[in-house]
Amino acid sequence: LVCFVIEAVKENGSGISSLSNEICVDFGMPQLPEYIYMRNATALAKDEVLVEWYIQEDAAANNLVLRRGTTLSNINQHIDMEDIMLEPILDTVDALVNTASRSYYYNIVARDSCGLESSSENVRTILLKAFDNLDLSNQLEWNAFEIAHGTVTSYNIYRNDLGFTVPLTNVPASQLDYTDDIEGVPAAELGFCYKVEAIYDLDLPNGISDANLVSSSWEACVAQNSRIFVPNVFAPNGVNNEFKPVVLYPNDDDYRMVIVNRWGEIMFESNDSETGWNGYKDNQMVPQGVYAYVIQMTSLNGIAIEEKGTVLLLR
């Protein structure tokens, strides 16, 4: 509501003036929202983040801006959302991101036609990283999910062999890493892929409460490289009675083991990683001694592996 009057002032400097009647006009200026609260920011894909927020339904703003940054110090304007119809919960998808390599901060700013602003606090997405520990385990690490007025209760960890539908495990909110023992677990073609999701509750100053909300990272994948572990002694009549390397993630389509004596005569050869040498040739025991071996294999991720050495056969 804006009111106007006209004042007439006499020119001779006498200070005499006269006021007109008052006229008031209601321009119907939209009021900025009294509150904007972030509700979620979750990875939908490698290049998509779904951002949700609560906003006062009966307020108006002719310009909503989604702001994004990789650190708190560089959150900047990103997406203008003009003349949007305000509802209690709004959302948008940010499709200019890389959720496999970065975590993002978001907030919302409402602006009116006079340039006044009302803004939310921040929410931060989860970035998950995965590493091969080189000991039949994978290491997972992630940043904490951060949201104003929210409390993370725990994190669910998913692995691709379970279809990302059944959690591999659940860890406390204070834990931001996990070691996954994958001994005996078959590796998928792309290796082991993981997701982490935060389970959290919101308790907002305007009385809104929301429980068991979920924010997910995008996938982090790690390939367990094929490896060959070779014994250096075996005794056909003893406990270790067969010379057989331990092959981690074998590729029997391209595997070969050859064992020769000191004169280069082939004592044994195999294209099956599960078949070892029992110390016989042509159904005859070979003498005790040192024998040379060559083991060759192309790993599942296309790397050529070759192991050479000697093994002592004891009788």
Side-chain angles (χ1 to χ4, degrees):
L1 183 66
V2 181
C3 296
F4 300 90
V5 297
I6 300 296
E7 182 182 17
V9 181
K10 195 171 182 177
E11 291 185 352
N12 62 6
S14 63
I16 299 174
S17 65
S18 176
L19 293 176
S20 71
N21 61 304
E22 183 180 278
I23 294 178
C24 294
V25 180
D26 186 356
F27 287 96
M29 293 291 291
Q31 298 298 308
L32 285 171
E34 292 183 2
Y35 65 83
I36 308 174
Y37 298 121
M38 302 308 296
R39 183 175 189 266
N40 200 354
T42 185
L44 297 180
K46 184 178 180 180
D47 57 356
E48 289 185 343
V49 170
L50 173 66
V51 182
E52 297 178 319
W53 62 96
Y54 302 94
I55 195 165
Q56 182 185 351
E57 187 175 7
D58 57 356
N62 65 355
N63 189 11
L64 283 181
V65 178
L66 172 67
R67 301 197 308 175
R68 176 193 51 171
T70 53
T71 68
L72 284 173
S73 61
N74 73 353
I75 298 177
N76 48 50
Q77 182 172 318
H78 174 54
I79 299 174
D80 290 321
M81 296 172 286
E82 296 183 354
D83 300 323
I84 192 169
M85 185 68 69
L86 297 188
E87 298 177 355
I89 299 177
L90 295 177
D91 64 69
T92 190
V93 173
D94 182 5
L96 296 173
V97 291
N98 185 344
T99 59
S101 63
R102 292 180 178 176
S103 171
Y104 297 95
Y105 289 92
Y106 290 95
N107 61 33
I108 298 291
V109 174
R111 294 173 179 158
D112 66 15
S113 56
C114 295
L116 300 176
E117 294 185 351
S118 174
S119 63
S120 73
E121 296 176 270
N122 301 317
V123 62
R124 186 188 186 189
T125 62
I126 302 171
L127 171 63
L128 172 65
K129 298 180 180 180
F131 311 93
D132 178 2
N133 284 332
L134 303 178
D135 62 357
L136 293 180
S137 72
N138 293 324
Q139 186 70 24
L140 308 181
E141 298 175 0
W142 61 94
N143 63 275
F145 175 69
E146 301 174 26
I147 187 167
H149 312 294
T151 302
V152 177
T153 56
S154 64
Y155 291 97
N156 283 332
I157 300 173
Y158 295 85
R159 194 173 63 203
N160 55 338
D161 64 315
L162 301 175
F164 293 125
T165 56
V166 179
L168 173 67
T169 189
N170 176 271
V171 300
S174 59
Q175 184 173 332
L176 300 176
D177 58 16
Y178 178 74
T179 302
D180 183 28
D181 181 358
I182 45 82
E183 184 173 4
V185 180
E189 183 178 352
L190 296 177
F192 294 91
C193 294
Y194 300 86
K195 284 185 179 181
V196 167
E197 64 179 16
I199 311 300
Y200 64 100
D201 301 331
L202 285 179
D203 188 8
L204 304 179
N206 66 343
I208 294 177
S209 295
D210 226 335
N212 295 320
L213 296 174
V214 174
S215 176
S216 178
S217 72
W218 187 236
E219 298 175 17
C221 297
V222 56
Q224 276 279 342
N225 296 322
S226 299
R227 291 190 287 275
I228 301 174
F229 304 92
V230 187
N232 57 14
V233 64
F234 78 112
N237 298 319
V239 176
N240 184 20
N241 57 14
E242 183 181 50
F243 175 72
K244 185 176 77 172
V246 176
V247 183
L248 176 63
Y249 302 116
N251 177 13
D252 284 333
D253 291 335
D254 189 14
Y255 174 89
R256 184 168 184 254
M257 178 171 70
V258 178
I259 300 173
V260 299
N261 61 15
R262 67 181 64 186
W263 296 281
E265 180 185 3
I266 295 178
M267 298 288 100
F268 176 81
E269 61 182 321
S270 174
N271 296 109
D272 181 1
S273 62
E274 289 297 318
T275 300
W277 182 39
N278 61 4
Y280 283 72
K281 174 179 170 56
D282 299 328
N283 294 321
Q284 298 292 321
M285 289 191 300
V286 302
Q288 175 174 299
V290 176
Y291 296 82
Y293 64 82
V294 177
I295 304 169
Q296 297 170 322
M297 185 182 75
T298 300
S299 70
L300 296 177
N301 55 358
I303 298 175
I305 301 173
E306 182 175 83
E307 295 287 340
K308 294 181 178 180
T310 59
V311 58
L312 174 61
L313 186 157
L314 294 176
R315 293 292 184 188

